[in-house]
Amino acid sequence: MMGTSVGILGTGKYVPERRLTNKELEQMVETNEEWIVSRTGIRERRIAESSQATSDLAYEASIRALEAAGITADQLDLIVVATITPDMFFPSTACILQEKLGAKKAAAFDLSAACSGFIYGLANAAGFIATGMYRYVLVVGAECLSRITDYTDRNTCILFGDGAGAVVLGEVPEGRGFKSFKLGADGAGGDLLRICGGGSRVPSTEQSVTERRHFIEMNGRDVFKFAVRVMGSAAEEALAAAGIDKADIDLLIPHQANIRIIQSALERLDLPEEKAAINLDRYGNMSSASIPVALAEAVEEGRVSEGDRLVLVGFGGGLTWGASVLVW
Ligand code: UT7
């Protein structure tokens, strides 16, 4: 794919302490534990303290990733934060994180690709390193989705949680690292999953607040169909580009939106469930944070060894999707 081999030097994750269980949701909207578990696979999610914003979660994940990579923040050349829940419109969450970390020489920007944001971020970072422009790049997926979730809407409020995952990218020995990226978008499906309020189209007004336009709106069934289609195809295209057979996948790290979507991707790739990193039962859907948190946990649990072939695949609002194949 590229001249320099680029890979992941360290991973880190952070999830807030507070758990929101299905039983608690039963008290909030017309739903039940059985429906949530059977239709989504989710049992609980984490919710940030009111004092915490996305950059605080990102910071915790980032210091762990830096430690695991064995580098210090002042060595970072670039910080990319993928998020749909920035601390504020601007400055970017990446700039706020740069200050918290003391990463003085790092450039910093946020990236908006919803749940595919982390994979888009990896592709960006890998490109910067492969061209020789940068040596170390921090890529973070961090979200406080609880701040944009409508807890009166049972179609969405059961799904989302807060958390952050981070990785440090740099040069790795030849033969290892990223083998391919496949990114895609279909703006025609933009209205299936979105927040309208607060932007330049629907600025914040008393009316926009009353109409609950600052919360996630979703057409669950259509997003589900799109997800089932694109998870399999994106993973297959990334495998083909990497020249790796699906039978040789050691670990699949999918976006964590719904266990049934993950199962359909596993079926399409002929993989048993043990070959997937799954954490949505504990965290729900954390958008851009789902994949890096699942990756960090797989590393912590010793599920990833040198030479293993990993497939990362996600989809989300935009619509967007992305997949990557890497050799650990
Ligand atoms: O990161 C990407 C973000 N989003 C996604 O990936 C979402 C993808 N979509 C999904 O995961 C699923 O579509 C959902 C979990 C959102 C919904 O599951 P579903 O199997 O597609 O359910 P449905 O929307 O077709 O609804 C089935 C029934 C409906 O009742 P009727 O019309 O059949 O009487 C809903 O009103 O289930 C009802 N329902 C609920 N019942 C209990 C919807 N939400 C709930 C709920 N509790 N929370």
Side-chain angles (χ1 to χ4, degrees):
M1 179 182 73
M2 337 168 170
T4 308
S5 297
V6 181
I8 294 174
L9 306 179
T11 61
K13 71 147 213 280
Y14 172 79
V15 292
E17 292 290 309
R18 156 102 171 87
R19 293 173 155 84
L20 175 63
T21 63
N22 292 344
K23 282 280 170 227
E24 285 172 90
L25 284 163
E26 285 181 4
Q27 311 302 313
M28 297 159 70
V29 287
E30 185 62 42
T31 190
N32 60 79
E33 166 102 47
E34 201 278 319
W35 191 96
I36 301 174
V37 173
S38 64
R39 304 310 292 163
T40 72
I42 301 167
R43 292 180 183 278
E44 56 182 35
R45 327 94 192 104
R46 299 300 181 94
I47 305 294
E49 297 296 329
S50 56
S51 60
Q52 288 177 310
T54 296
S55 66
D56 301 310
L57 278 49
Y59 172 78
E60 295 295 334
S62 298
I63 53 175
R64 291 168 174 88
L66 286 165
E67 198 190 334
I71 69 157
T72 51
D74 56 11
Q75 291 177 274
L76 288 173
D77 298 301
L78 174 67
I79 298 173
V80 181
V81 176
T83 187
I84 51 167
T85 49
D87 286 25
M88 52 192 80
F89 267 122
F90 71 91
S92 67
T93 303
C95 283
I96 298 169
L97 178 62
Q98 185 238 25
E99 154 68 11
K100 282 187 206 289
L101 289 170
K104 291 201 183 332
K105 77 167 179 183
F109 67 86
D110 285 2
L111 189 155
S112 174
C115 308
S116 314
F118 182 72
I119 293 180
Y120 269 65
L122 289 179
N124 261 277
F128 278 118
I129 297 167
T131 60
M133 184 160 166
Y134 292 137
R135 185 163 179 209
Y136 295 119
V137 182
L138 177 70
V139 182
V140 186
E143 303 287 2
C144 283
L145 296 182
S146 60
R147 305 285 154 75
I148 56 165
T149 297
D150 183 351
Y151 287 100
T152 67
D153 176 10
R154 71 173 185 175
N155 291 303
T156 53
C157 73
I158 55 156
L159 299 173
F160 302 113
D162 302 339
V167 296
V168 176
L169 263 52
E171 191 173 350
V172 292
E174 214 187 310
R176 295 172 59 189
F178 293 103
K179 297 295 168 193
S180 67
F181 285 103
K182 284 287 167 185
L183 306 178
D186 178 10
D191 56 357
L192 298 181
L193 184 54
R194 65 181 183 182
I195 294 180
C196 289
S200 55
R201 182 73 59 194
V202 183
S204 308
T205 57
E206 279 180 40
Q207 189 188 351
S208 73
V209 172
T210 310
E211 291 173 352
R212 310 190 79 75
R213 305 207 60 187
H214 299 267
F215 294 121
I216 297 171
E217 288 169 31
M218 183 179 76
N219 177 331
R221 271 179 219 190
D222 285 359
V223 174
F224 190 96
K225 285 184 218 151
F226 153 72
V228 164
R229 181 165 43 83
V230 84
M231 289 277 273
S233 59
E236 283 177 356
E237 284 171 25
L239 283 162
I244 288 179
D245 196 86
K246 62 186 178 183
D248 296 324
I249 299 173
D250 294 295
L251 191 62
L252 178 75
I253 306 196
H255 176 48
Q256 313 276 318
N258 187 314
I259 191 68
R260 293 182 289 137
I261 295 172
I262 296 176
Q263 282 160 348
S264 83
L266 286 168
E267 237 166 75
R268 172 124 170 219
L269 297 169
D270 289 321
L271 293 175
E273 200 157 310
E274 308 83 74
K275 291 230 173 159
I278 295 171
N279 64 18
L280 90 172
D281 51 328
R282 290 171 291 133
Y283 304 139
N285 179 348
M286 300 180 289
S287 190
S288 69
S290 279
I291 290 174
V293 168
L295 174 64
E297 288 188 331
V299 171
E300 276 168 27
E301 290 162 10
R303 290 181 73 185
V304 187
S305 314
E306 193 176 318
D308 279 0
R309 284 158 296 241
L310 272 55
V311 176
L312 278 48
V313 60
F315 66 93
L319 299 167
T320 56
W321 59 91
S324 179
V325 174
L326 75 145
V327 176
W328 196 256

